[in-house]
Amino acid sequence: MSSSPADPCPTRRTRIVCISDTHNCTVKLPKGDVLIHAGDLTNQGSLSELTKAIQWLEKADFEAKIVIAGNHDKALDPTLSSNSSQHQELSPESNHFHNKPLSNPKEGLSLFETHGPSITYLRHESAEMKLTDPKGPKTKFKVFGSPGTPGLGDKWAFGYVRSVEDPNNSSRKEQEAQVMTNGGREPDGNEVKTADMIWSSIPPGTDILITHTPPYGHCDLGVVRGSDGETGETGKGTETETDIDRHLGCHSLFQRLSVVRPRLQVCGHVHRARGAERVRWSPPGPDTLDREEDTAGEVQAEWIEAGIEKWTDPSPDPKSAKISLVDLTGRGRGKGSGKLDWNDKGKGSGEGRKETCVVNCAILASNYPHVGGKKFHKPVVVDLEMSVCDEDGEDNN
């Protein structure tokens, strides 16, 4: 256990195993306290695929398992339910995914109850996790998870339109007109969901943020093939294809990241961008400081990205038994290791949240059509200091 005058709350090392984009693959998982899956459990989005993925995760030996969906996991998207207005308006081609009819998301969600009772499934929501096992670290943290993924069109799950400020928004004029028409509502009367609206709900007190999409500019370099760089399938509102690497993450998500500044952000989606970066934050100047507060009295201000340190994988060989470790406790060595400059002093101001580690933990390393066969990354293991609970599992502060 460690603490200091700058960080009065006792903390203890907690090991987090991070995976994403397994796409039906069941890889060997290293030991840890917490398992995080950042979406794309399946490939074709079917109930049978989802069942197998949940059963695999349920068997994994971790005190806590946290899962979000990804753009492939259509069996979990309630907006694509067979009785939803959006589903009824889709073209016959969009009513199918990989030439198979869409499942009812209620059936998909029920699988976590029947096959994955130990899994915490998050769909754009928060949870407070407390590790109370006597053999574990007995720590706590607040987590927010969301499957939202921008720019993929109507053939994919959990999609939304990028903000007009996003460098990857190729239809800004169309979006501006859509938001202005009918008071910002869809033809069926539903509110137009913008990227800013989606990500503004991430609570300021979040310790770990899990999203399928990366934030813009961090662990997000890739190419666009078809609609998502993977399958070549396209849909309405898809992005322009390119074979040149570019940042594919979400600009609005990065803006919110600069406000919340969690200890850790876990993401995936862009397979070839697997890795980790430590983002250093500095407070805005007095001329630009926005001291608007949310309903909880937390100060809402975008801090400035002051620097990046890229992590070097100490064990990049997929065949090696050694883990790919990002050590943020100060015990490790190597580029990207070192104690994270983060604490909760100045509660309500976030002034101690000076650094965030962004981890893209995509397991599948190749993209469709997987020339030469599928290739894989290893899970990314993160050692992180978390606040300690007392003997009864309550906050120790």
Side-chain angles (χ1 to χ4, degrees), residues 207-239:
D207 294 303
I208 298 178
L209 174 62
I210 309 172
T211 61
H212 187 56
T213 180
Y216 184 85
H218 298 282
C219 298
D220 68 336
L221 275 177
V223 299
V224 176
R225 301 188 188 94
S227 62
D228 72 344
E230 292 180 7
T231 67
E233 294 197 49
T234 58
K236 181 181 178 182
T238 57
E239 297 178 353

PDB file of all heavy atoms in Angstrom, residues 207-239:
ATOM      1  N   ASP A 207     -12.702   6.912 -12.960  1.00  0.00           N
ATOM      2  CA  ASP A 207     -11.315   6.442 -12.844  1.00  0.00           C
ATOM      3  C   ASP A 207     -10.865   5.706 -14.107  1.00  0.00           C
ATOM      4  O   ASP A 207      -9.748   5.893 -14.579  1.00  0.00           O
ATOM      5  CB  ASP A 207     -11.172   5.486 -11.651  1.00  0.00           C
ATOM      6  CG  ASP A 207     -11.399   6.167 -10.321  1.00  0.00           C
ATOM      7  OD1 ASP A 207     -10.697   7.148 -10.037  1.00  0.00           O
ATOM      8  OD2 ASP A 207     -12.293   5.719  -9.572  1.00  0.00           O
ATOM      9  N   ILE A 208     -11.749   4.838 -14.622  1.00  0.00           N
ATOM     10  CA  ILE A 208     -11.440   4.065 -15.827  1.00  0.00           C
ATOM     11  C   ILE A 208     -12.544   4.291 -16.847  1.00  0.00           C
ATOM     12  O   ILE A 208     -13.728   4.127 -16.540  1.00  0.00           O
ATOM     13  CB  ILE A 208     -11.309   2.562 -15.515  1.00  0.00           C
ATOM     14  CG1 ILE A 208     -10.153   2.307 -14.546  1.00  0.00           C
ATOM     15  CG2 ILE A 208     -11.089   1.767 -16.802  1.00  0.00           C
ATOM     16  CD1 ILE A 208      -9.994   0.845 -14.159  1.00  0.00           C
ATOM     17  N   LEU A 209     -12.164   4.672 -18.041  1.00  0.00           N
ATOM     18  CA  LEU A 209     -13.100   4.889 -19.141  1.00  0.00           C
ATOM     19  C   LEU A 209     -12.892   3.789 -20.172  1.00  0.00           C
ATOM     20  O   LEU A 209     -11.760   3.550 -20.609  1.00  0.00           O
ATOM     21  CB  LEU A 209     -12.856   6.263 -19.772  1.00  0.00           C
ATOM     22  CG  LEU A 209     -13.638   6.619 -21.030  1.00  0.00           C
ATOM     23  CD1 LEU A 209     -15.134   6.628 -20.759  1.00  0.00           C
ATOM     24  CD2 LEU A 209     -13.177   7.971 -21.576  1.00  0.00           C
ATOM     25  N   ILE A 210     -13.979   3.109 -20.535  1.00  0.00           N
ATOM     26  CA  ILE A 210     -13.904   2.042 -21.537  1.00  0.00           C
ATOM     27  C   ILE A 210     -14.772   2.435 -22.718  1.00  0.00           C
ATOM     28  O   ILE A 210     -15.983   2.636 -22.577  1.00  0.00           O
ATOM     29  CB  ILE A 210     -14.404   0.700 -20.969  1.00  0.00           C
ATOM     30  CG1 ILE A 210     -13.717   0.378 -19.643  1.00  0.00           C
ATOM     31  CG2 ILE A 210     -14.146  -0.427 -21.969  1.00  0.00           C
ATOM     32  CD1 ILE A 210     -14.309  -0.839 -18.939  1.00  0.00           C
ATOM     33  N   THR A 211     -14.178   2.559 -23.887  1.00  0.00           N
ATOM     34  CA  THR A 211     -14.913   2.880 -25.109  1.00  0.00           C
ATOM     35  C   THR A 211     -14.417   1.963 -26.222  1.00  0.00           C
ATOM     36  O   THR A 211     -13.260   1.543 -26.209  1.00  0.00           O
ATOM     37  CB  THR A 211     -14.707   4.347 -25.531  1.00  0.00           C
ATOM     38  OG1 THR A 211     -13.313   4.583 -25.802  1.00  0.00           O
ATOM     39  CG2 THR A 211     -15.180   5.300 -24.438  1.00  0.00           C
ATOM     40  N   HIS A 212     -15.310   1.673 -27.170  1.00  0.00           N
ATOM     41  CA  HIS A 212     -14.832   0.864 -28.294  1.00  0.00           C
ATOM     42  C   HIS A 212     -13.954   1.713 -29.208  1.00  0.00           C
ATOM     43  O   HIS A 212     -12.897   1.275 -29.644  1.00  0.00           O
ATOM     44  CB  HIS A 212     -16.003   0.275 -29.078  1.00  0.00           C
ATOM     45  CG  HIS A 212     -15.563  -0.687 -30.140  1.00  0.00           C
ATOM     46  ND1 HIS A 212     -14.776  -1.788 -29.866  1.00  0.00           N
ATOM     47  CD2 HIS A 212     -15.771  -0.700 -31.487  1.00  0.00           C
ATOM     48  CE1 HIS A 212     -14.519  -2.444 -30.986  1.00  0.00           C
ATOM     49  NE2 HIS A 212     -15.102  -1.805 -31.988  1.00  0.00           N
ATOM     50  N   THR A 213     -14.379   2.920 -29.508  1.00  0.00           N
ATOM     51  CA  THR A 213     -13.578   3.798 -30.342  1.00  0.00           C
ATOM     52  C   THR A 213     -12.456   4.432 -29.534  1.00  0.00           C
ATOM     53  O   THR A 213     -12.631   4.735 -28.349  1.00  0.00           O
ATOM     54  CB  THR A 213     -14.442   4.919 -30.952  1.00  0.00           C
ATOM     55  OG1 THR A 213     -13.621   5.766 -31.777  1.00  0.00           O
ATOM     56  CG2 THR A 213     -15.076   5.786 -29.885  1.00  0.00           C
ATOM     57  N   PRO A 214     -11.301   4.656 -30.135  1.00  0.00           N
ATOM     58  CA  PRO A 214     -10.257   5.434 -29.459  1.00  0.00           C
ATOM     59  C   PRO A 214     -10.604   6.919 -29.512  1.00  0.00           C
ATOM     60  O   PRO A 214     -11.436   7.349 -30.322  1.00  0.00           O
ATOM     61  CB  PRO A 214      -8.997   5.151 -30.292  1.00  0.00           C
ATOM     62  CG  PRO A 214      -9.361   4.083 -31.271  1.00  0.00           C
ATOM     63  CD  PRO A 214     -10.846   4.144 -31.435  1.00  0.00           C
ATOM     64  N   PRO A 215      -9.967   7.723 -28.671  1.00  0.00           N
ATOM     65  CA  PRO A 215     -10.101   9.172 -28.817  1.00  0.00           C
ATOM     66  C   PRO A 215      -9.247   9.640 -29.991  1.00  0.00           C
ATOM     67  O   PRO A 215      -8.244   9.003 -30.327  1.00  0.00           O
ATOM     68  CB  PRO A 215      -9.553   9.707 -27.488  1.00  0.00           C
ATOM     69  CG  PRO A 215      -8.543   8.682 -27.069  1.00  0.00           C
ATOM     70  CD  PRO A 215      -9.083   7.355 -27.552  1.00  0.00           C
ATOM     71  N   TYR A 216      -9.643  10.726 -30.602  1.00  0.00           N
ATOM     72  CA  TYR A 216      -8.897  11.215 -31.772  1.00  0.00           C
ATOM     73  C   TYR A 216      -7.451  11.536 -31.395  1.00  0.00           C
ATOM     74  O   TYR A 216      -7.170  12.226 -30.425  1.00  0.00           O
ATOM     75  CB  TYR A 216      -9.558  12.472 -32.340  1.00  0.00           C
ATOM     76  CG  TYR A 216      -8.887  12.972 -33.602  1.00  0.00           C
ATOM     77  CD1 TYR A 216      -9.229  12.442 -34.842  1.00  0.00           C
ATOM     78  CD2 TYR A 216      -7.904  13.947 -33.548  1.00  0.00           C
ATOM     79  CE1 TYR A 216      -8.605  12.871 -35.998  1.00  0.00           C
ATOM     80  CE2 TYR A 216      -7.270  14.388 -34.703  1.00  0.00           C
ATOM     81  CZ  TYR A 216      -7.622  13.846 -35.929  1.00  0.00           C
ATOM     82  OH  TYR A 216      -6.991  14.284 -37.069  1.00  0.00           O
ATOM     83  N   GLY A 217      -6.528  10.987 -32.197  1.00  0.00           N
ATOM     84  CA  GLY A 217      -5.113  11.312 -32.045  1.00  0.00           C
ATOM     85  C   GLY A 217      -4.339  10.399 -31.125  1.00  0.00           C
ATOM     86  O   GLY A 217      -3.135  10.577 -30.949  1.00  0.00           O
ATOM     87  N   HIS A 218      -5.012   9.389 -30.530  1.00  0.00           N
ATOM     88  CA  HIS A 218      -4.331   8.528 -29.571  1.00  0.00           C
ATOM     89  C   HIS A 218      -4.695   7.070 -29.811  1.00  0.00           C
ATOM     90  O   HIS A 218      -5.866   6.685 -29.737  1.00  0.00           O
ATOM     91  CB  HIS A 218      -4.680   8.936 -28.143  1.00  0.00           C
ATOM     92  CG  HIS A 218      -4.244  10.326 -27.822  1.00  0.00           C
ATOM     93  ND1 HIS A 218      -2.931  10.648 -27.526  1.00  0.00           N
ATOM     94  CD2 HIS A 218      -4.930  11.495 -27.799  1.00  0.00           C
ATOM     95  CE1 HIS A 218      -2.841  11.950 -27.312  1.00  0.00           C
ATOM     96  NE2 HIS A 218      -4.036  12.487 -27.481  1.00  0.00           N
ATOM     97  N   CYS A 219      -3.690   6.265 -30.155  1.00  0.00           N
ATOM     98  CA  CYS A 219      -3.879   4.834 -30.416  1.00  0.00           C
ATOM     99  C   CYS A 219      -4.985   4.614 -31.446  1.00  0.00           C
ATOM    100  O   CYS A 219      -5.838   3.730 -31.274  1.00  0.00           O
ATOM    101  CB  CYS A 219      -4.207   4.103 -29.118  1.00  0.00           C
ATOM    102  SG  CYS A 219      -2.905   4.177 -27.869  1.00  0.00           S
ATOM    103  N   ASP A 220      -4.968   5.421 -32.510  1.00  0.00           N
ATOM    104  CA  ASP A 220      -6.067   5.359 -33.488  1.00  0.00           C
ATOM    105  C   ASP A 220      -5.613   5.443 -34.934  1.00  0.00           C
ATOM    106  O   ASP A 220      -6.426   5.676 -35.824  1.00  0.00           O
ATOM    107  CB  ASP A 220      -7.071   6.486 -33.213  1.00  0.00           C
ATOM    108  CG  ASP A 220      -6.504   7.872 -33.497  1.00  0.00           C
ATOM    109  OD1 ASP A 220      -5.261   8.056 -33.458  1.00  0.00           O
ATOM    110  OD2 ASP A 220      -7.299   8.794 -33.777  1.00  0.00           O
ATOM    111  N   LEU A 221      -4.317   5.249 -35.206  1.00  0.00           N
ATOM    112  CA  LEU A 221      -3.839   5.324 -36.585  1.00  0.00           C
ATOM    113  C   LEU A 221      -4.229   4.071 -37.353  1.00  0.00           C
ATOM    114  O   LEU A 221      -3.931   2.944 -36.953  1.00  0.00           O
ATOM    115  CB  LEU A 221      -2.319   5.493 -36.624  1.00  0.00           C
ATOM    116  CG  LEU A 221      -1.776   6.914 -36.505  1.00  0.00           C
ATOM    117  CD1 LEU A 221      -0.253   6.888 -36.488  1.00  0.00           C
ATOM    118  CD2 LEU A 221      -2.268   7.786 -37.656  1.00  0.00           C
ATOM    119  N   GLY A 222      -4.915   4.271 -38.490  1.00  0.00           N
ATOM    120  CA  GLY A 222      -5.330   3.142 -39.317  1.00  0.00           C
ATOM    121  C   GLY A 222      -5.796   3.630 -40.669  1.00  0.00           C
ATOM    122  O   GLY A 222      -5.711   4.813 -40.993  1.00  0.00           O
ATOM    123  N   VAL A 223      -6.287   2.705 -41.467  1.00  0.00           N
ATOM    124  CA  VAL A 223      -6.803   3.036 -42.787  1.00  0.00           C
ATOM    125  C   VAL A 223      -8.277   2.689 -42.832  1.00  0.00           C
ATOM    126  O   VAL A 223      -8.769   1.891 -42.029  1.00  0.00           O
ATOM    127  CB  VAL A 223      -6.052   2.292 -43.910  1.00  0.00           C
ATOM    128  CG1 VAL A 223      -4.582   2.669 -43.921  1.00  0.00           C
ATOM    129  CG2 VAL A 223      -6.212   0.780 -43.758  1.00  0.00           C
ATOM    130  N   VAL A 224      -8.995   3.295 -43.760  1.00  0.00           N
ATOM    131  CA  VAL A 224     -10.422   3.037 -43.919  1.00  0.00           C
ATOM    132  C   VAL A 224     -10.636   2.182 -45.158  1.00  0.00           C
ATOM    133  O   VAL A 224     -10.314   2.599 -46.267  1.00  0.00           O
ATOM    134  CB  VAL A 224     -11.222   4.357 -44.044  1.00  0.00           C
ATOM    135  CG1 VAL A 224     -12.691   4.055 -44.296  1.00  0.00           C
ATOM    136  CG2 VAL A 224     -11.061   5.189 -42.781  1.00  0.00           C
ATOM    137  N   ARG A 225     -11.147   0.974 -44.941  1.00  0.00           N
ATOM    138  CA  ARG A 225     -11.537   0.104 -46.054  1.00  0.00           C
ATOM    139  C   ARG A 225     -13.020  -0.162 -45.899  1.00  0.00           C
ATOM    140  O   ARG A 225     -13.441  -0.757 -44.919  1.00  0.00           O
ATOM    141  CB  ARG A 225     -10.770  -1.221 -46.035  1.00  0.00           C
ATOM    142  CG  ARG A 225      -9.261  -1.070 -46.123  1.00  0.00           C
ATOM    143  CD  ARG A 225      -8.626  -2.455 -46.298  1.00  0.00           C
ATOM    144  NE  ARG A 225      -7.190  -2.386 -46.192  1.00  0.00           N
ATOM    145  CZ  ARG A 225      -6.509  -2.603 -45.072  1.00  0.00           C
ATOM    146  NH1 ARG A 225      -7.169  -2.895 -43.968  1.00  0.00           N
ATOM    147  NH2 ARG A 225      -5.207  -2.535 -45.049  1.00  0.00           N
ATOM    148  N   GLY A 226     -13.821   0.273 -46.861  1.00  0.00           N
ATOM    149  CA  GLY A 226     -15.262   0.155 -46.692  1.00  0.00           C
ATOM    150  C   GLY A 226     -15.688   1.109 -45.605  1.00  0.00           C
ATOM    151  O   GLY A 226     -15.371   2.275 -45.631  1.00  0.00           O
ATOM    152  N   SER A 227     -16.374   0.599 -44.585  1.00  0.00           N
ATOM    153  CA  SER A 227     -16.899   1.478 -43.557  1.00  0.00           C
ATOM    154  C   SER A 227     -16.121   1.464 -42.261  1.00  0.00           C
ATOM    155  O   SER A 227     -16.230   2.386 -41.480  1.00  0.00           O
ATOM    156  CB  SER A 227     -18.355   1.122 -43.258  1.00  0.00           C
ATOM    157  OG  SER A 227     -18.435  -0.201 -42.775  1.00  0.00           O
ATOM    158  N   ASP A 228     -15.329   0.432 -42.005  1.00  0.00           N
ATOM    159  CA  ASP A 228     -14.631   0.448 -40.726  1.00  0.00           C
ATOM    160  C   ASP A 228     -13.213  -0.097 -40.809  1.00  0.00           C
ATOM    161  O   ASP A 228     -12.586  -0.363 -39.812  1.00  0.00           O
ATOM    162  CB  ASP A 228     -15.405  -0.338 -39.664  1.00  0.00           C
ATOM    163  CG  ASP A 228     -15.348  -1.844 -39.896  1.00  0.00           C
ATOM    164  OD1 ASP A 228     -14.990  -2.247 -41.017  1.00  0.00           O
ATOM    165  OD2 ASP A 228     -15.651  -2.596 -38.964  1.00  0.00           O
ATOM    166  N   GLY A 229     -12.684  -0.258 -42.024  1.00  0.00           N
ATOM    167  CA  GLY A 229     -11.329  -0.751 -42.141  1.00  0.00           C
ATOM    168  C   GLY A 229     -11.215  -2.246 -41.939  1.00  0.00           C
ATOM    169  O   GLY A 229     -10.128  -2.773 -41.852  1.00  0.00           O
ATOM    170  N   GLU A 230     -12.355  -2.946 -41.835  1.00  0.00           N
ATOM    171  CA  GLU A 230     -12.268  -4.368 -41.558  1.00  0.00           C
ATOM    172  C   GLU A 230     -12.963  -5.214 -42.619  1.00  0.00           C
ATOM    173  O   GLU A 230     -12.349  -6.055 -43.248  1.00  0.00           O
ATOM    174  CB  GLU A 230     -12.884  -4.679 -40.188  1.00  0.00           C
ATOM    175  CG  GLU A 230     -12.090  -4.114 -39.029  1.00  0.00           C
ATOM    176  CD  GLU A 230     -12.740  -4.451 -37.708  1.00  0.00           C
ATOM    177  OE1 GLU A 230     -13.700  -5.209 -37.687  1.00  0.00           O
ATOM    178  OE2 GLU A 230     -12.265  -3.936 -36.714  1.00  0.00           O
ATOM    179  N   THR A 231     -14.244  -4.986 -42.827  1.00  0.00           N
ATOM    180  CA  THR A 231     -15.000  -5.936 -43.634  1.00  0.00           C
ATOM    181  C   THR A 231     -15.204  -5.512 -45.075  1.00  0.00           C
ATOM    182  O   THR A 231     -15.577  -6.324 -45.908  1.00  0.00           O
ATOM    183  CB  THR A 231     -16.389  -6.162 -43.031  1.00  0.00           C
ATOM    184  OG1 THR A 231     -17.134  -4.959 -43.145  1.00  0.00           O
ATOM    185  CG2 THR A 231     -16.289  -6.571 -41.583  1.00  0.00           C
ATOM    186  N   GLY A 232     -15.029  -4.251 -45.365  1.00  0.00           N
ATOM    187  CA  GLY A 232     -15.300  -3.775 -46.701  1.00  0.00           C
ATOM    188  C   GLY A 232     -16.759  -3.526 -46.972  1.00  0.00           C
ATOM    189  O   GLY A 232     -17.121  -3.059 -48.045  1.00  0.00           O
ATOM    190  N   GLU A 233     -17.636  -3.845 -45.984  1.00  0.00           N
ATOM    191  CA  GLU A 233     -19.057  -3.567 -46.164  1.00  0.00           C
ATOM    192  C   GLU A 233     -19.309  -2.081 -45.964  1.00  0.00           C
ATOM    193  O   GLU A 233     -18.671  -1.424 -45.159  1.00  0.00           O
ATOM    194  CB  GLU A 233     -19.889  -4.368 -45.169  1.00  0.00           C
ATOM    195  CG  GLU A 233     -19.818  -5.853 -45.418  1.00  0.00           C
ATOM    196  CD  GLU A 233     -20.938  -6.571 -44.707  1.00  0.00           C
ATOM    197  OE1 GLU A 233     -22.086  -6.122 -44.844  1.00  0.00           O
ATOM    198  OE2 GLU A 233     -20.662  -7.552 -44.025  1.00  0.00           O
ATOM    199  N   THR A 234     -20.249  -1.534 -46.706  1.00  0.00           N
ATOM    200  CA  THR A 234     -20.535  -0.111 -46.598  1.00  0.00           C
ATOM    201  C   THR A 234     -21.994   0.098 -46.256  1.00  0.00           C
ATOM    202  O   THR A 234     -22.826  -0.771 -46.394  1.00  0.00           O
ATOM    203  CB  THR A 234     -20.234   0.618 -47.925  1.00  0.00           C
ATOM    204  OG1 THR A 234     -21.011   0.021 -48.961  1.00  0.00           O
ATOM    205  CG2 THR A 234     -18.766   0.541 -48.268  1.00  0.00           C
ATOM    206  N   GLY A 235     -22.293   1.288 -45.811  1.00  0.00           N
ATOM    207  CA  GLY A 235     -23.658   1.657 -45.482  1.00  0.00           C
ATOM    208  C   GLY A 235     -23.813   3.156 -45.618  1.00  0.00           C
ATOM    209  O   GLY A 235     -22.865   3.868 -45.875  1.00  0.00           O
ATOM    210  N   LYS A 236     -25.017   3.630 -45.418  1.00  0.00           N
ATOM    211  CA  LYS A 236     -25.281   5.054 -45.520  1.00  0.00           C
ATOM    212  C   LYS A 236     -24.459   5.819 -44.494  1.00  0.00           C
ATOM    213  O   LYS A 236     -24.404   5.475 -43.325  1.00  0.00           O
ATOM    214  CB  LYS A 236     -26.766   5.312 -45.275  1.00  0.00           C
ATOM    215  CG  LYS A 236     -27.163   6.775 -45.375  1.00  0.00           C
ATOM    216  CD  LYS A 236     -28.637   6.933 -45.099  1.00  0.00           C
ATOM    217  CE  LYS A 236     -29.042   8.403 -45.135  1.00  0.00           C
ATOM    218  NZ  LYS A 236     -30.481   8.556 -44.824  1.00  0.00           N
ATOM    219  N   GLY A 237     -23.777   6.877 -44.937  1.00  0.00           N
ATOM    220  CA  GLY A 237     -23.022   7.709 -44.025  1.00  0.00           C
ATOM    221  C   GLY A 237     -21.619   7.214 -43.731  1.00  0.00           C
ATOM    222  O   GLY A 237     -20.982   7.648 -42.784  1.00  0.00           O
ATOM    223  N   THR A 238     -21.095   6.291 -44.542  1.00  0.00           N
ATOM    224  CA  THR A 238     -19.767   5.767 -44.285  1.00  0.00           C
ATOM    225  C   THR A 238     -18.703   6.762 -44.722  1.00  0.00           C
ATOM    226  O   THR A 238     -18.956   7.697 -45.465  1.00  0.00           O
ATOM    227  CB  THR A 238     -19.554   4.438 -45.028  1.00  0.00           C
ATOM    228  OG1 THR A 238     -19.766   4.656 -46.423  1.00  0.00           O
ATOM    229  CG2 THR A 238     -20.534   3.395 -44.547  1.00  0.00           C
ATOM    230  N   GLU A 239     -17.474   6.511 -44.248  1.00  0.00           N
ATOM    231  CA  GLU A 239     -16.382   7.429 -44.525  1.00  0.00           C
ATOM    232  C   GLU A 239     -15.651   7.057 -45.803  1.00  0.00           C
ATOM    233  O   GLU A 239     -15.739   5.942 -46.302  1.00  0.00           O
ATOM    234  CB  GLU A 239     -15.435   7.444 -43.323  1.00  0.00           C
ATOM    235  CG  GLU A 239     -16.138   7.965 -42.075  1.00  0.00           C
ATOM    236  CD  GLU A 239     -15.244   7.939 -40.854  1.00  0.00           C
ATOM    237  OE1 GLU A 239     -14.123   7.403 -40.940  1.00  0.00           O
ATOM    238  OE2 GLU A 239     -15.666   8.468 -39.816  1.00  0.00           O
TER     239      GLU A 239
END
